[in-house]
Amino acid sequence: MKNLKHFGALLLTLTLALALALAVPALAAVDDTGFSDVDAGAWYAEAVIYCREHNLMDGTGNNRFAPENSLTRAQLATVLYRIEGTPAVTGTDAFTDTADGAWYNDAVLYRRTACVTPEDGGHLLTAHRIVGTEQSAAVAADEILLRRWGRRSYAAAAVDWASVNNIVAPASAGVFAPKSNATRAHIAAALMNYSRSQPAPVPQPAPSEGMKVLIAYFSTNNTEGIANHLDAILDADLYEITPETPYSAADLDYNADCRANREQNDASARPAISGSVENVEQYDVIFLGYPIWWGQAPKIISTFLESYNLSGKTIVPFCTSGSSGIGSSATNLHVLTSGATWMDGQRFSGGASRSTVEDWVDGLELTSTPEA
């Protein structure tokens, strides 16, 4: 997890960034943004691409980024949760206005657990409210400083930090404009500037050096792409977890009483797999990939894990989803692999680039097989 002081400073900066009218300097030119409403010549185009490739901000659907829109509190919580690497969470968030099964649940719960999600009062998150007033920014700053470092301050401390470190530009000479709302484009620029202001990580040996690696994945759409990125990055073997009875489009119609829903609601469901991994005992590390179905791994992943003795091996989970983090999907699988060592998992968007996946692999520090 990132240094808490730096992360606290980032949270203060982003909270304030939601209340800014920024005159951001022109960024580097790009050829194609991948979004229909982000022109390649726009000042924020590079930042939008950076945030997408580093899994910090996604589009809003229909190939749009909505750069002029503001973020809600739920969206901000999700951005911050992704910066932390979407760590696993358990329990409930205690807010009275969050919906069960909502896309922001894991992010809100994590921020609540970390004591950095300010409330409106009465256990209200007001998840869809736009965060953009001077008052809410100041309250958030005070709450973070009090809970993290036991002292109070005004939001000016974060303004000074952001200005000195060139994270957020002023609206004009000597003007910060705290009462104006920031847009998604402004937040993307602040995120990119912050990330680039941090010291470069020391490169770590890839897990393929002296280690035998297997990439096992189940995919109905996007997970295969991430597995293929891993295959290109690592000196590893690739194995697709293929159901004995393939999933049809009707089987995956989540809005109906479909096969996927029935399996997810049945704790004993174990869909049969066609084929198997040969000599699984030869592998030191297993990258395990899957899509997120209703916040969890598909039950065929349970079938796979229970089919082998994985004691002594290191398992690195990864998943793909439209918005949900990896959450408890990985931790709920731990009990199926007695004696195995699980590393923190990672969620990717379906269109995550190879460089994004490679950055994640480089940060795993898998230089030897940990003891279980």
Side-chain angles (χ1 to χ4, degrees):
M1 184 175 290
K2 295 178 175 62
N3 180 279
L4 286 180
K5 185 174 181 180
H6 287 171
F7 181 75
L10 170 61
L11 181 53
L12 289 172
T13 298
L14 293 182
T15 304
L16 288 166
L18 289 168
L20 304 180
L22 305 179
V24 181
L27 304 178
V30 297
D31 295 326
D32 180 31
T33 67
F35 292 105
S36 61
D37 58 347
V38 178
D39 186 87
W43 63 262
Y44 49 79
E46 182 190 8
V48 168
I49 293 174
Y50 181 92
C51 288
R52 181 189 63 193
E53 290 187 346
H54 288 79
N55 194 33
L56 299 178
M57 294 178 69
D58 295 324
T60 58
N62 297 321
N63 200 36
R64 296 175 60 82
F65 185 79
E68 298 303 319
N69 288 2
S70 297
L71 263 71
T72 64
R73 290 159 64 86
Q75 290 168 341
L76 174 61
T78 300
V79 169
L80 298 172
Y81 182 53
R82 290 177 179 177
I83 291 172
E84 288 289 87
T86 62
V89 293
T90 58
T92 57
D93 58 42
F95 290 114
T96 59
D97 60 343
T98 52
D100 292 340
W103 54 268
Y104 52 76
N105 280 160
D106 286 346
V108 171
L109 178 56
Y110 180 73
R111 299 263 49 80
R112 175 73 170 172
T113 302
C115 295
V116 292
T117 300
E119 301 175 20
D120 287 336
H123 298 290
L124 294 176
L125 172 71
T126 317
H128 301 292
R129 198 194 80 184
I130 298 297
V131 181
T133 66
E134 181 182 38
Q135 291 77 14
S136 63
V139 169
D142 279 355
E143 284 296 318
I144 296 158
L145 288 170
L146 177 64
R147 295 179 182 181
R148 286 295 191 201
W149 302 305
R151 61 184 174 85
R152 285 196 175 274
S153 177
Y154 189 68
V159 172
D160 290 342
W161 180 88
S163 177
V164 169
N165 290 279
N166 297 316
I167 307 301
V168 179
S172 60
V175 177
F176 198 68
K179 294 185 179 180
S180 298
N181 288 346
T183 64
R184 288 168 54 85
H186 292 140
I187 300 306
L191 285 166
M192 183 182 73
N193 291 341
Y194 171 82
S195 297
R196 290 180 172 178
S197 74
Q198 302 307 295
V202 177
Q204 299 292 332
S208 56
E209 296 181 8
M211 305 179 73
K212 189 68 174 176
V213 180
L214 173 69
I215 304 164
Y217 72 96
F218 168 66
S219 179
T220 55
N221 190 8
N222 295 318
T223 310
E224 182 176 17
I226 307 302
N228 287 336
H229 287 325
L230 286 169
D231 188 34
I233 295 165
L234 301 168
D235 179 17
D237 294 333
L238 189 66
Y239 172 75
E240 181 177 5
I241 301 171
T242 304
E244 189 173 277
T245 302
Y247 289 89
S248 66
D251 290 335
L252 301 174
D253 183 3
Y254 307 115
N255 295 317
D257 181 25
C258 67
R259 172 187 170 190
N261 287 352
R262 291 193 298 271
E263 289 177 352
Q264 292 301 92
N265 290 325
D266 181 359
S268 64
R270 295 294 186 271
I273 296 174
S274 176
S276 62
V277 178
E278 296 184 2
N279 301 321
V280 73
E281 62 275 1
Q282 68 181 304
Y283 297 104
D284 302 299
V285 178
I286 298 175
F287 283 78
L288 181 64
Y290 51 86
I292 291 292
W293 288 3
W294 295 113
Q296 298 298 318
K299 288 301 176 66
I300 197 170
I301 299 299
S302 298
T303 307
F304 173 81
L305 293 174
E306 292 177 344
S307 299
Y308 306 96
N309 179 5
L310 302 179
S311 177
K313 303 189 185 304
T314 297
I315 302 176
V316 187
F318 65 94
C319 72
T320 57
S321 73
S323 59
S324 299
I326 197 166
S328 61
S329 68
T331 56
N332 287 339
L333 297 173
H334 292 189
V335 296
L336 305 179
T337 55
S338 177
T341 296
W342 284 76
M343 298 194 68
D344 290 340
Q346 179 65 37
R347 173 263 180 193
F348 295 97
S349 62
S353 66
R354 171 174 168 172
S355 64
T356 298
V357 177
E358 192 162 12
D359 287 345
W360 171 59
V361 172
D362 287 344
L364 291 174
E365 303 183 24
L366 273 171
T367 58
S368 61
T369 304
E371 295 181 0

